[in-house]
Amino acid sequence: MTVVSALLIGVLYVCLNSLVPERHRRPFNAVMVAGAGAAYLSGGGLGPWEFAITAVITFCAYRGLGSWTFIGIAWLVHTAADIAHHLHGNPIVPFAEHSSLGCAICDPVIALWAFAGGPDLRSTTPAALVRALFRRPQPATGPRE
């Protein structure tokens, strides 16, 4: 049940973010992942590593203000932190023993959406979403200003 509910939470997060206007969607997600990066600071149980993880996620979130790729990277770093907390630290929700495991399952769903460019799912078919995820950057044409 943990796996199914975690996947559904990730999909719900993506769907709700599709309601955010496109010009605000990336900055909003950068702020969200930065907040998620600090979730364990008040007692995650990994000591000084909590600060290192938070610093990496904060850097990626800052870079995510201009790049969906960095938002995806930040969610994957948070996934690694969730796994470490599930195995060796304290859960993200103190009264829910498997909350860090659930978070580790949910976060990659959000990361994949971010790597696809955070598209509006209301107007995107599954095939278009897969194409966006695996698109190749187009080479720059013409002189740069």
Side-chain angles (χ1 to χ4, degrees):
M1 190 60 164
T2 300
V3 173
V4 172
S5 61
L7 290 173
L8 288 175
I9 289 169
V11 169
L12 180 64
Y13 178 90
V14 167
C15 289
L16 288 175
N17 270 279
S18 290
L19 301 176
V20 175
E22 186 175 358
R23 70 178 187 268
H24 299 302
R25 198 174 302 144
R26 190 178 57 231
F28 175 76
N29 277 275
V31 170
M32 289 297 290
V33 76
Y40 290 108
L41 275 180
S42 67
L46 297 180
W49 287 105
E50 302 291 351
F51 294 102
I53 293 166
T54 301
V56 170
I57 294 174
T58 301
F59 172 78
C60 289
Y62 173 72
R63 293 293 308 270
L65 289 169
S67 166
W68 278 106
T69 301
F70 275 96
I71 292 173
I73 292 168
W75 280 114
L76 292 181
V77 173
H78 193 267
T79 299
D82 291 327
I83 292 168
H85 285 95
H86 178 68
L87 296 175
H88 303 291
N90 300 326
I92 194 165
V93 180
F95 54 84
E97 181 182 352
H98 298 294
S99 58
S100 290
L101 175 62
C103 199
I105 295 168
C106 171
D107 292 350
V109 172
I110 302 168
L112 286 172
W113 174 72
F115 286 132
D120 180 351
L121 296 182
R122 293 173 292 173
S123 60
T124 304
T125 65
L129 185 59
V130 170
R131 279 194 306 276
L133 186 60
F134 294 106
R135 72 177 178 269
R136 300 282 182 233
Q138 299 298 320
T141 57
R144 298 185 91 170
E145 294 181 28

